[in-house]
């Protein structure tokens, strides 16, 4: 998948997240892209590592920068609390028009992730995405093991909150399976 | 009696300090090799003073990392909202030493002339950062870590040296705890990494340009570990509001150094010739990655080979050796510009494709280094203790442009013809949008 094709999917993700009330800062996009890849199985080819607010792709950041340079996305209206947010730029419609089939193919999955994550705060997204990351790393672990590991990596995530996040991710994974089966 | 603390004169920081245990790292074979790796590859062919090496840069990074560590862990500077993330007592002492050694060793895996041709010369999946990790964990250095007070774990040093972006995922325990991530950000972080602070100051000094200067003293004095945002307890390197202007100056320095020095067209052209030469000489994936073989090759060996290739018309790198030595480097035919980019985002690529078709692939080069984001988001602690986003507090940061450079280079012998051809065909080439679209 080339950069502009990935960019077209990211722009459609930004649109969908906005429709579901997301602030659409970089953290919102990073976590949504992580779920898009790991849960909805969209082949975004980004590699995610654990970073400030959970799984993070440096490759996605590079793509976001390139998309801004090409005016496919733009950063707007910094808010003291939430920071800047991403909006479609002047070239967004052109790129989307070039990749209509790609966007249509992944639209149900993009909508699914946006619906699940669009209303979440950065703190909630950090818990959910870290929970998914940890269970991907310890595939045969138990809820207790996953929650303990989350707390080890991120001491501000309490074990009880980690368990709540693990349950929510379970539900998201189940819903994604149902979506894939339809 | 042996001297316990050693001072080394530094053109940027006046003195770098290290103790006798740390001195053993300095005197080791992997570190001494850095005396023979130019910090800025062949930039000295454009800026003659830029002949400094990774050796002194690495010492400078250690000195700055230590200053940042002492600032952020000073009792009066610890923000209670993130206090639980900071170790205390002996653990704090341990991590200070680990950070210093990671900073000192962060560049050990650089190939000769730094970044040139790394991707093509190393096997798939191998990077200079991975080699850095391997050298830090080699028995040669591990013996030193084991004898240091602690003792130090090689893996801890390696993780901080390269950070979460580059630490190999297939190595043991690749995930970073929040504390490890904060410490690695002190070295390689996008906002306040001291690797960048040192290279901006040092490159600026040696290249003889003033763009890279900023008030490092004020900036470091105001760095803090802060909650990532007002609602978060995630620890992130940030700054007191009083240091925001020096943070702006750092990021402006980065912007100007990229646009004026690192992406200078002649420098980029020489980089291309050097890359081609190295591949012609060693072959794709031809660089040794075993530690002994790797450590034997420096800029010196490459320079000797260039001289030999210059004298030997049958050497596979003869042509590029001539271009490097006789200053017959490729010249700019076309450069990305706002007016053309507004009409066609792929204008430079379109010019390259058309020029290649017209003049042949060996006479035309396309150079499009990754765009560099200039504004960076980090937490700012306001006077009343609230946390705000740097991009909201600083209009300068919010509006810093992205450094986006693209060059089409042509061989000097066809430059005049190519310029005339482009003048005649520019409109037609740029008018054709070249996005590949769904069908490709």
């Amino acid at each position: 998948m080339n950069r502009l094709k990935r960019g077209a999917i990211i722009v459609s993700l930004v649109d969908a997240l906005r429709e579901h009330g997301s602030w659409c800062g970089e953290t919102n996009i990073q976590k949504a892209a992580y779920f898009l890849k790991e849960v909805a199985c969209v082949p975004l080819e980004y590699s995610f590592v654990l970073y400030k607010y959970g799984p993070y792709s440096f490759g996605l950041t590079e793509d976001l920068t390139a998309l801004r340079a090409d005016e496919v996305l733009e950063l707007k209206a910094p808010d003291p609390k939430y920071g800047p947010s991403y909006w479609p730029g002047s070239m967004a419609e052109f790129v989307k028009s070039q990749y209509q089939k790609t966007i249509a193919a992944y639209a149900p999955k993009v909508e699914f992730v946006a619906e699940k994550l669009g209303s979440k705060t950065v703190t909630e997204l950090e818990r959910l995405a870290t929970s998914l990351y940890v269970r991907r790393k310890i595939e045969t672990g138990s809820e207790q093991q996953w929650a303990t590991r989350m707390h080890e990596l991120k001491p501000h995530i309490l074990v009880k909150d980690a368990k709540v996040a693990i349950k929510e991710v379970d539900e998201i994974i189940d819903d994604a399976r149902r979506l894939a089966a339809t | 009696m042996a001297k316990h603390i050693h001072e080394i004169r530094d053109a940027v920081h006046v003195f770098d300090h290290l103790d006798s245990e740390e001195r053993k790292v300095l005197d080791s074979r992997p570190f001494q090799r850095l005396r023979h790796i130019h910090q800025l590859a062949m930039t000295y062919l454009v800026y003659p003073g830029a002949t400094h090496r990774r050796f002194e840069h690495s010492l400078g990074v250690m000195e700055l990392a230590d200053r940042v560590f002492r600032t952020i862990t000073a009792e009066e500077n610890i923000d209670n909202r993130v206090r639980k993330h900071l170790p205390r007592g002996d653990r704090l002492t341990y991590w200070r030493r680990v950070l210093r050694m990671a900073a000192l060793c962060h560049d050990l895996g650089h190939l000769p002339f730094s970044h040139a041709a790394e991707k093509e010369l190393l096997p798939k999946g191998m990077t200079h950062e991975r080699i850095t990790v391997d050298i830090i964990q080699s028995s040669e250095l591990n013996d030193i870590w084991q004898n240091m007070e602690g003792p130090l774990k090689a893996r801890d040093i390696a993780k901080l040296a390269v950070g979460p972006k580059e630490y190999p995922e297939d190595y043991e325990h690749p995930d970073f705890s929040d504390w490890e991530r904060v410490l690695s950000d002190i070295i390689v972080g996008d906002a306040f990494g001291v690797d960048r602070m040192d290279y901006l100051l040092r490159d600026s000094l040696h290249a003889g340009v003033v763009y890279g200067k900023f008030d490092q003293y004020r900036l470091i004095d105001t760095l803090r570990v802060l909650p990532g945002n007002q609602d978060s307890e995630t620890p992130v390197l940030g700054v007191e509001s009083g240091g925001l202007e020096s943070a702006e100056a750092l990021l402006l320095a980065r912007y100007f150094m990229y646009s004026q020095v690192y992406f200078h067209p002649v420098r980029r052209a020489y980089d291309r010739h050097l890359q081609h030469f190295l591949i012609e000489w060693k072959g794709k994936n031809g660089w040794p990655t075993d530690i002994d073989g790797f450590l034997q090759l420096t800029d010196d060996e490459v320079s000797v080979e260039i001289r030999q290739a210059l004298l030997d018309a049958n050497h596979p790198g003869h042509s590029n050796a001539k271009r490097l030595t006789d200053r017959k480097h490729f010249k700019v035919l076309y450069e990305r510009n706002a007016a053309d980019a507004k009409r066609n985002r792929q204008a430079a690529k379109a010019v390259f494709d058309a020029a290649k078709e017209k003049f042949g692939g060996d006479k035309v080069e396309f150079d499009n280094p990754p765009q560099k984001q200039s504004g960076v988001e980090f937490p700012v602690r306001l006077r009343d203790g609230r946390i705000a986003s740097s991009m909201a507090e600083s209009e300068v940061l919010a509006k810093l442009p992205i450094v986006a450079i693209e060059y089409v280079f042509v061989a000097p012998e066809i430059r005049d013809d190519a310029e005339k051809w482009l003048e005649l065909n520019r409109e037609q080439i740029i008018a054709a949008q070249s996005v590949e679209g769904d069908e490709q």
Side-chain angles (χ1 to χ4, degrees):
Chain A
M1 193 181 279
N2 69 31
R3 183 172 65 74
L4 275 178
K5 199 174 209 175
R6 288 197 303 271
I9 297 173
I10 296 301
V11 175
S12 69
L13 180 64
V14 167
D15 286 341
L17 283 170
R18 289 211 159 278
E19 280 177 24
H20 286 280
S22 171
W23 173 253
C24 249
E26 180 165 352
T27 304
N28 305 82
I29 297 171
Q30 283 275 355
K31 304 318 162 209
Y34 182 60
F35 274 81
L36 205 55
K37 182 189 175 204
E38 291 294 325
V39 176
C41 302
V42 174
L44 282 171
E45 298 168 17
Y46 294 124
S47 172
F48 286 84
V49 296
L50 208 56
Y51 200 47
K52 290 176 192 165
Y53 305 109
Y56 175 92
S57 165
F58 288 90
L60 174 54
T61 297
E62 282 171 19
D63 272 2
L64 290 171
T65 302
L67 289 166
R68 282 174 56 206
D70 285 344
E71 295 179 25
V72 178
L73 288 174
E74 61 177 308
L75 265 183
K76 272 196 203 170
D79 176 279
K81 200 167 165 183
Y82 303 116
S85 63
Y86 278 87
W87 293 77
S90 61
M91 293 299 289
E93 286 307 315
F94 172 72
V95 170
K96 285 197 282 185
S97 72
Q98 299 299 304
Y99 293 99
Q100 289 176 34
K101 286 183 190 168
T102 303
I103 290 172
Y106 296 119
K109 292 177 172 182
V110 167
E111 172 60 22
F112 171 80
V113 169
E115 192 257 323
K116 295 290 181 194
L117 303 182
S119 60
K120 304 288 185 194
T121 65
V122 165
T123 304
E124 290 168 328
L125 289 170
E126 180 182 14
R127 278 188 217 136
L128 288 175
T130 304
S131 139
L132 176 60
Y133 182 88
V134 166
R135 53 186 298 162
R136 286 279 188 263
K137 287 275 175 156
I138 316 174
E139 283 181 355
T140 54
S142 65
E143 182 190 85
Q144 183 64 39
Q145 281 175 305
W146 292 330
T148 305
R149 182 62 179 148
M150 282 172 71
H151 180 66
E152 277 170 13
L153 290 166
K154 297 193 157 287
H156 57 282
I157 300 181
L158 302 177
V159 171
K160 70 177 174 60
D161 294 332
K163 286 181 177 174
V164 172
I166 289 164
K167 283 202 173 65
E168 191 171 344
V169 167
D170 275 342
E171 287 168 16
I172 295 174
I173 292 171
D174 285 345
D175 289 347
R177 285 197 188 116
R178 276 191 285 277
L179 177 75
T182 56
Chain B
M1 191 176 144
K3 197 175 177 186
H4 188 60
I5 297 292
H6 306 266
E7 301 103 6
I8 297 172
R9 288 274 182 192
D10 185 318
V12 176
H13 307 302
V14 185
F15 284 108
D16 301 322
H17 303 84
L18 71 174
D19 67 25
S20 295
E21 290 299 310
E22 294 169 334
R23 176 75 182 263
K24 290 175 185 164
V25 183
L26 187 77
D27 291 341
S28 72
R29 182 176 62 139
F31 196 84
Q32 286 295 315
R33 173 180 172 272
L34 298 181
R35 288 185 187 273
H36 308 279
I37 308 288
H38 285 90
Q39 177 75 20
L40 289 178
M42 289 187 163
T43 302
Y44 55 77
L45 293 174
V46 181
Y47 297 94
T51 56
H52 52 302
R53 316 297 170 105
R54 294 210 171 252
F55 182 87
E56 53 266 35
H57 163 67
S58 298
L59 280 164
V61 172
M62 179 185 70
E63 187 69 18
L64 287 181
D66 195 51
R67 279 168 46 193
V68 173
F69 187 91
R70 282 184 280 130
T71 302
I72 64 169
T73 57
E75 179 56 33
E76 65 275 20
N77 292 338
I78 298 175
D79 189 296
N80 279 330
R81 291 166 287 192
V82 294
R83 182 179 288 274
K84 63 178 164 228
H85 291 279
L86 274 65
R88 295 174 192 188
D90 288 350
R91 292 308 291 163
L92 199 62
T93 308
Y94 172 83
W95 282 110
R96 179 180 172 193
R97 177 63 72 90
V98 168
L99 178 75
R100 286 174 56 84
M101 293 303 90
L104 189 64
C105 294
H106 78 284
D107 270 351
L108 289 182
H110 265 292
L111 272 66
F113 290 109
S114 300
H115 299 280
E118 175 182 313
K119 214 171 174 180
E120 290 82 5
L121 288 169
L122 295 176
K124 193 166 187 275
M126 184 59 81
T127 61
H128 80 262
E129 289 92 352
R130 185 182 273 257
I131 296 172
T132 297
V133 168
D134 290 344
I135 294 172
I136 290 172
Q137 303 198 101
S138 67
S139 57
E140 190 166 353
L141 289 186
N142 203 38
D143 288 348
I144 300 176
W145 313 136
Q146 288 301 310
N147 285 312
M148 280 187 172
E149 200 180 325
L152 305 189
K153 285 185 189 163
R155 187 178 65 224
D156 289 340
I157 299 168
K159 284 176 87 170
L160 300 198
V162 301
K165 180 181 178 187
E166 303 293 350
Y167 191 77
E169 219 181 331
D170 53 331
Y171 281 27
E172 256 193 307
H173 302 292
D175 292 325
F176 282 58
S177 68
D178 274 337
W179 173 242
E180 288 171 333
R181 192 251 311 145
V182 166
L183 290 181
S184 73
D185 273 353
I186 291 176
I187 301 173
V188 294
D190 209 27
F192 303 116
V194 293
D195 177 22
R196 176 178 301 133
M197 283 193 207
D198 186 85
Y199 76 61
L200 289 173
L201 294 165
R202 197 172 300 277
D203 295 348
S204 176
L205 173 75
H206 289 280
V209 299
V210 294
Y211 306 114
K213 295 196 190 308
F214 58 94
D215 186 351
Q216 50 156 321
Y217 303 101
R218 178 64 177 158
L219 178 60
I220 290 177
D221 278 353
T222 54
L223 288 182
R224 303 286 182 266
V225 181
L226 298 171
N229 60 56
Q230 184 63 24
D231 298 332
S232 164
E233 290 178 68
T234 304
V236 176
L237 263 190
V239 73
E240 293 277 11
S241 58
L244 191 53
E245 287 76 12
S246 23
E248 288 171 347
L250 165 70
L251 294 164
L252 277 165
R254 178 196 188 193
Y255 170 76
F256 286 123
M257 284 296 279
Y258 267 100
S259 53
Q260 298 296 311
V261 178
Y262 305 136
F263 288 168
H264 187 289
V266 180
R267 172 193 143 89
R268 296 291 305 180
Y270 276 125
D271 259 5
R272 305 289 291 195
H273 294 307
L274 180 59
Q275 284 171 24
H276 293 320
F277 174 81
L278 289 170
I279 294 164
E280 288 158 352
W281 174 35
K282 285 288 183 186
K284 283 205 169 185
N285 307 331
W287 208 261
T289 52
D290 65 289
I291 291 177
D292 275 338
F294 179 86
L295 292 178
Q296 281 172 22
L297 290 170
T298 70
D299 292 6
D300 300 349
E301 284 71 30
V302 174
S303 298
V304 167
E305 193 66 25
I306 290 172
R307 299 298 304 180
Q308 287 180 349
L310 182 71
L311 302 173
D312 177 2
N314 295 318
H315 192 290
H318 177 70
S319 167
N320 280 298
K322 269 181 81 71
R323 293 203 186 277
L324 286 165
T325 312
D326 297 345
R327 301 191 66 83
K328 302 283 187 205
H329 59 84
F330 276 31
K331 312 275 186 185
V332 175
L333 171 68
Y334 181 84
E335 181 176 1
R336 178 180 170 123
N337 62 84
D340 291 347
K342 279 238 174 295
R343 297 168 57 203
N344 181 352
R345 310 309 301 186
Q346 312 272 321
K349 177 72 167 40
V351 171
F352 167 68
D353 287 339
K356 195 169 70 169
E357 198 177 320
K358 171 76 180 168
F359 298 103
D362 59 334
K363 301 285 185 202
V364 187
E365 291 264 357
F366 183 46
D367 186 38
N368 58 338
Q371 286 95 339
K372 295 288 174 188
Q373 177 173 281
S374 304
V376 177
E377 200 181 2
F378 52 84
V380 179
R381 186 164 68 188
L382 307 177
R383 290 188 194 285
D384 60 9
R386 281 178 303 143
I387 301 296
S389 158
S390 59
M391 301 281 250
E393 286 303 304
S394 163
E395 282 194 45
V396 173
L397 294 184
K399 290 180 177 163
L400 262 182
I402 290 167
V403 186
I405 303 260
E406 291 173 312
Y407 297 116
V408 178
F409 293 118
V410 292
E413 55 272 23
I414 65 156
R415 186 190 192 185
D416 289 346
D417 289 346
E419 282 179 347
K420 283 176 197 151
W421 163 83
L422 183 60
E423 202 177 326
L424 287 172
N425 295 284
R426 174 195 291 263
E427 279 305 303
Q428 188 191 337
I429 293 167
I430 290 170
Q433 290 278 359
S434 58
V435 173
E436 288 167 348
D438 269 321
E439 303 309 323
Q440 302 297 310

